Amino acid sequence: MTATASGSRLKSTVAALADDRFAGRRVGTPGGRAAGLWLAGQLEAIGASVTTAEFSVAGVRELYRTPEFSWSADSTPRPWLHRRDFAEHLASADLPVPRTGGLSLADSDGWRDRWVLAPDLGVSARALTEGAAGLLVPRGTDAEGWMPKMIAGPPVGALPVLAVRADLHEEMARAGSGTVTASMPLRTVEVTGSNVHGVFREPAAGSAGVLLTAHYDGVGDDPRQRLPAAADNASGVAVVLEAARLLVPLLPDHIGLAVSLLDGEEAGARGSAHHAPGVRPGTYVINVDGAAQLGDGAAVEAGGPAHDLLAALDQAGREVGVPLRAGAMPSDNRRYAAAGLPAIGIGMGMPGYQTPAETADRVETETLLAATRLVVATVLRLVVHPRGLAALPHKDELQREG
């Protein structure tokens, strides 16, 4: 049987999930819930029996207004751009209105009502005792000059903390003085996430079951700035949906096949933590987190009793022409592995990761196709053709349509 992966369908899925209507798909937001409902419809359209499972997610950091930051070493204030020049620090206390104070260095005396330029949070206790206005700590940027957004991290402290671009932090240190005005409207919320599960067939007694997973949530838009989350992880969702579509007619009836599209990964892999303990023991789990840019190869991490699964992936990679390399994949696959399931995580690059530059046009069609073929070939190698993939369509048949 010939199976053809559609490049146009893969790209269409990425573009749809990155669209304005889903507003960055953060867990617990209207955009995130709308994305889950849309994906349920996609799974039903390719023949799955669909259910959803809700779960609570605490400790999510939420910007409810755009933060402000300006510094001047003379009489002229110098405003800076959020996520280019400064960003929220996840340990920051909520500061809803701008606070103005002089700039002090970490080795200066007298911090009361002053913004302290510090190398890290190690001075927090002293700053709190002395009544500092807040802390300014350095942070690097990505290759394109963005500070990626995060929504889960260390415990919230008692002081406002802003992360300032490292070279700007150094410029302020050289000046050693000036006036800072800043706000940090950052609160901590508890929200409800929703996993979307699609079952195509249950495994027969004594037969193998395969679970394909990808998280569909992103970090969410900023109040005045779009973060489309196309690579992380609209691309992985597109691959899982397309692989499932191809596998349904290729797998024998006794082999189980299911898809779980997970929420809350950006908040600590909470969706997979909720789901993994209830998965049938022995189920093979393949998680795709990032399929936007293959580069020098796919990063792979195996966990749990994954020897057979990893061997199938290795052989499939050779046969379909996708180079593999060992690499950390701190994603949902780790939750399934921790539950004792054979699990692998696969990643193929995330240009613009968690910034406004993570747009659908940067997700490579050829990488989406390569990831799809790798997943399909791994499953068939594992449960259908353990001694060869002769029945697989040639890699040239997995081509772009449209």
Side-chain angles (χ1 to χ4, degrees), residues 1 5 41 44 50 72 86 130 168 211 225 239 323 369 378 386:
M1 177 180 295
E44 289 173 348
V50 177
S72 60
F86 74 100
E130 295 194 16
L168 173 57
L211 173 66
Q225 195 159 224
V239 166
L369 289 165
T378 299

Side-chain angles (χ1 to χ4, degrees), residues 318-322 369 373 392-399:
R318 297 172 189 275
E319 293 175 335
V320 303
V322 176
L369 289 165
R373 179 163 177 84
L392 273 174
H394 188 268
K395 65 182 179 181
D396 291 341
E397 293 176 340
L398 291 178
Q399 60 193 351

Side-chain angles (χ1 to χ4, degrees), residues 109-170:
D109 296 327
W111 288 358
R112 179 163 296 279
D113 297 326
R114 300 180 73 83
W115 286 93
V116 179
L117 197 70
D120 51 43
L121 299 182
V123 302
S124 296
R126 178 190 163 191
L128 185 61
T129 299
E130 295 194 16
L135 298 179
L136 306 172
V137 298
R139 180 179 171 185
T141 62
D142 68 11
E144 298 171 343
W146 291 102
M147 294 182 178
K149 181 177 181 177
M150 295 175 285
I151 60 171
V156 175
L159 280 171
V161 183
L162 275 72
V164 178
R165 199 182 70 236
D167 62 317
L168 173 57
H169 196 273
E170 292 173 0

Side-chain angles (χ1 to χ4, degrees), residues 2 44 56 83 87 114 140 166 169 177 215 235 295 320 339 366 369 381 388:
T2 298
E44 289 173 348
S56 179
R83 215 159 292 292
R114 300 180 73 83
H169 196 273
S177 64
H215 77 88
S235 64
V320 303
E366 293 307 319
L369 289 165
R381 159 66 70 176

Side-chain angles (χ1 to χ4, degrees), residues 266-323:
E266 302 294 356
R270 303 296 290 277
S272 50
H274 179 77
H275 181 232
V279 176
R280 175 180 175 267
T283 299
Y284 295 107
V285 182
I286 300 175
N287 181 66
V288 183
D289 195 348
Q293 192 175 74
L294 180 57
D296 61 356
V300 175
E301 179 179 301
H307 176 78
D308 291 346
L309 180 54
L310 189 59
L313 176 68
D314 179 68
Q315 189 60 37
R318 297 172 189 275
E319 293 175 335
V320 303
V322 176

Side-chain angles (χ1 to χ4, degrees), residues 24-338:
R25 308 190 307 278
R26 201 209 76 194
V27 60
T29 61
R33 289 189 291 272
L37 290 172
W38 184 81
L39 288 168
Q42 299 303 300
L43 282 169
E44 289 173 348
I46 55 176
S49 174
V50 177
T51 59
T52 59
E54 294 188 343
F55 54 95
S56 179
V57 183
V60 176
R61 309 294 199 275
E62 178 178 79
L63 280 173
Y64 56 94
R65 284 198 301 276
T66 300
E68 300 174 48
F69 172 68
S70 68
W71 164 67
S72 60
D74 49 36
S75 60
T76 305
R78 298 174 62 184
W80 304 93
L81 297 175
H82 179 231
R83 215 159 292 292
R84 283 290 195 182
D85 304 307
F86 74 100
E88 62 277 10
H89 192 292
L90 296 181
S92 180
D94 184 22
L95 181 61
V97 296
R99 177 179 294 172
T100 298
L103 179 69
S104 282
L105 302 182
D107 57 0
S108 301
D109 296 327
W111 288 358
R112 179 163 296 279
D113 297 326
R114 300 180 73 83
W115 286 93
V116 179
L117 197 70
D120 51 43
L121 299 182
V123 302
S124 296
R126 178 190 163 191
L128 185 61
T129 299
E130 295 194 16
L135 298 179
L136 306 172
V137 298
R139 180 179 171 185
T141 62
D142 68 11
E144 298 171 343
W146 291 102
M147 294 182 178
K149 181 177 181 177
M150 295 175 285
I151 60 171
V156 175
L159 280 171
V161 183
L162 275 72
V164 178
R165 199 182 70 236
D167 62 317
L168 173 57
H169 196 273
E170 292 173 0
E171 181 184 345
M172 297 173 75
R174 288 192 297 271
S177 64
T179 300
V180 172
T181 299
S183 69
M184 185 46 64
L186 181 68
R187 60 192 171 199
T188 302
V189 296
E190 182 171 349
V191 299
T192 299
S194 182
N195 291 334
V196 183
H197 304 297
V199 177
F200 295 92
R201 61 171 69 94
E202 297 285 358
S207 296
V210 175
L211 173 66
L212 306 181
T213 66
H215 77 88
Y216 70 87
D217 65 303
V219 292
D221 288 348
D222 285 341
R224 290 190 225 167
Q225 195 159 224
R226 288 242 48 224
L227 285 85
D232 183 22
N233 185 35
S235 64
V237 171
V239 166
V240 162
L241 288 173
E242 188 72 359
R245 185 187 71 85
L246 296 177
L247 284 166
V248 168
L250 293 177
L251 292 179
D253 290 343
H254 66 280
I255 300 296
L257 178 64
V259 165
S260 289
L261 303 177
L262 303 163
D263 203 358
E265 193 272 348
E266 302 294 356
R270 303 296 290 277
S272 50
H274 179 77
H275 181 232
V279 176
R280 175 180 175 267
T283 299
Y284 295 107
V285 182
I286 300 175
N287 181 66
V288 183
D289 195 348
Q293 192 175 74
L294 180 57
D296 61 356
V300 175
E301 179 179 301
H307 176 78
D308 291 346
L309 180 54
L310 189 59
L313 176 68
D314 179 68
Q315 189 60 37
R318 297 172 189 275
E319 293 175 335
V320 303
V322 176
L324 308 177
R325 56 183 176 80
M329 283 294 299
S331 185
D332 292 303
N333 44 284
R334 292 186 176 180
R335 295 291 196 178
Y336 292 102

